[in-house]
Amino acid sequence: MLDYDALAARVASLTEGEDDQVALMATLACEVHHTDDRFDWTGFYRVVAPGLLKIGPYQGGHGCLVIPFDRGVCGAAARTGEVQLVPDVDAFPGHIACASSTRSELVLPVRNAAGEVIAVFDIDSDRPDAFTETDAEALAGILDATFART
């Protein structure tokens, strides 16, 4: 099992005093991606206009460049402001296949200090049913702690 307490401490140490959102995203994507071999693609899609996400810092193969809020798992997380835990992406209506190897996905909304959704944090796995509620809760806590100062 992933040691989320150690990951949270590492992220906090690396990002202490930083309030630039892109710098925080880049650091978090790198740290999370290299922490667990379930994580095949790890990155952010930034809210750049009403109803529109664009690729942000990430680790892994190429991602989609643009995702509207009304499409895919990332769009659903941005639109609803709720975590999307998808054990089988093929069963998700409107799934966007940015990478054909993706089998399951965890997408979390990222909020700034004002509570506005500024991005989504997307983790893809080439394994089916790779993510748990524990993953979602721990990563949400790390995101909240990291972006609450922006």
Side-chain angles (χ1 to χ4, degrees):
M1 190 59 162
L2 185 63
D3 184 348
Y4 280 110
D5 290 336
L7 176 61
R10 208 165 48 251
V11 168
S13 174
L14 289 166
T15 62
E16 183 179 354
E18 183 58 63
D19 62 1
D20 181 84
Q21 293 174 349
V22 173
L24 293 170
M25 288 177 191
T27 302
L28 197 59
C30 181
E31 284 302 308
V32 172
H33 186 75
H34 294 288
T35 301
D36 194 311
D37 63 0
R38 293 175 297 160
F39 305 162
D40 192 50
W41 192 95
T42 309
F44 290 86
Y45 285 96
R46 301 169 301 114
V47 177
V48 296
L52 189 65
L53 298 167
K54 280 198 179 182
I55 191 85
Y58 68 91
Q59 300 279 311
H62 292 286
C64 295
L65 296 180
V66 178
I67 299 176
F69 279 25
D70 63 354
R71 298 220 30 236
V73 182
C74 290
R79 183 178 65 253
T80 66
E82 296 176 2
V83 172
Q84 303 293 308
L85 179 58
V86 181
D88 177 4
V89 295
D90 292 331
F92 189 90
H95 174 256
I96 302 169
C98 296
S100 61
S101 61
T102 301
R103 293 288 161 256
S104 59
E105 197 165 354
L106 173 60
V107 183
L108 302 103
V110 178
R111 291 181 172 82
N112 63 13
E116 303 161 326
V117 175
I118 58 165
V120 297
F121 186 46
D122 180 18
I123 306 173
D124 296 351
S125 183
D126 56 4
R127 304 175 192 178
D129 202 17
F131 307 107
T132 67
E133 286 293 334
T134 299
D135 295 317
E137 291 169 12
L139 289 165
I142 292 169
L143 289 169
D144 289 347
T146 303
F147 289 93
R149 59 183 171 253
T150 66

